[in-house]
Amino acid sequence: LPVKWKGKQVSTAKPKLYALLIGVSDYANTDLKLRYAAKDAEDLSRELEKQKGVFYDDVEVKLLLNGDASEDAIEAELARLRNKAKPEDNVIVFMAGHGVTNATQDFYFLPANVDMTADMMEATAIDGDVIRKGLSRIPGKVVLFMDACHAGNGIQGGVSRVDMTGVANGLSDGASVVMFASSTGREVS
């Protein structure tokens, strides 16, 4: 008895991968210098690009390293992802550098050009709400890798180490984002 399938065809197309990889080792403020943040972003870029034609139809990686990872550049690239990605695509955002929480436990990622003076840190850092809102508006599957804390004795001026638990909880509120953090809220990375 011949059987003919008249249902939907299953697509064999592979998704596209968009990756925004941010690594800040060299800050304008030399007291914030890190060793491996930029290198980690470069290493991840090489590994992701190997997936083109394997798991992904295409892989598009944007690297923002050290001085190129300014507040404006990071926020602009997050906005571009929203316009590029389609619902069937995958998006990876990797952020390696310093992160802090202020006295009210609001998270900030520190771009290369952050001004750590008391009145300017919050104005020149990237607010965790901006990251959360930016990622939650991207269609497709979004994965955030956050390797951010202050690896040392804390930052002067009353700003505490980053609360990664709070950042992860904030991202999970209604957003289609999966987050991998390098530390818990009580650890340095």
Side-chain angles (χ1 to χ4, degrees):
L1 182 68
V3 176
K4 290 187 180 184
W5 174 256
K6 291 187 179 186
K8 263 188 175 178
Q9 293 264 348
V10 177
S11 173
T12 58
K14 296 175 183 175
K16 187 169 183 176
L17 174 66
Y18 293 96
L20 171 58
L21 310 179
I22 302 160
V24 186
S25 295
D26 296 322
Y27 284 86
N29 179 340
T30 57
D31 292 337
L32 298 174
K33 185 168 181 63
L34 294 172
R35 286 188 171 171
Y36 302 111
K39 180 188 180 308
D40 290 348
E42 290 176 309
D43 291 348
L44 181 56
S45 174
R46 280 191 293 279
E47 293 304 313
L48 291 176
E49 287 173 358
K50 291 178 185 177
Q51 296 303 311
K52 182 177 182 176
V54 179
F55 189 73
Y56 296 102
D57 183 46
D58 193 17
V59 174
E60 185 178 312
V61 176
K62 177 65 178 182
L63 271 170
L64 292 178
L65 304 175
N66 297 318
D68 292 334
S70 68
E71 177 188 13
D72 289 342
I74 293 169
E75 290 180 12
E77 289 304 323
L78 286 171
R80 282 189 186 104
L81 282 174
R82 184 173 57 241
N83 295 322
K84 288 181 179 182
K86 306 281 185 273
E88 63 274 9
D89 294 330
N90 293 334
V91 175
I92 292 176
V93 176
F94 174 82
M95 301 178 83
H98 285 296
V100 296
T101 51
N102 63 12
T104 59
Q105 297 302 300
D106 296 319
F107 170 76
Y108 292 87
F109 180 80
L110 304 186
N113 61 335
V114 68
D115 181 345
M116 291 303 294
T117 57
D119 294 339
M120 292 303 296
M121 192 282 297
E122 291 179 14
T124 59
I126 300 173
D127 190 320
D129 285 340
V130 170
I131 297 168
R132 181 182 53 77
K133 286 177 186 174
L135 294 177
S136 69
R137 293 179 180 150
I138 296 171
K141 299 169 189 79
V142 180
V143 178
L144 170 64
F145 293 92
M146 182 67 73
D147 184 3
C149 77
H150 183 65
N153 295 327
I155 293 177
Q156 302 302 318
V159 180
S160 66
R161 291 188 181 120
V162 61
D163 176 11
M164 292 311 298
T165 303
V167 174
N169 289 339
L171 279 168
S172 67
D173 290 342
S176 60
V177 178
V178 174
M179 178 178 173
F180 293 92
S182 59
S183 60
T184 67
R186 301 198 188 281
E187 297 173 321
V188 291
S189 179

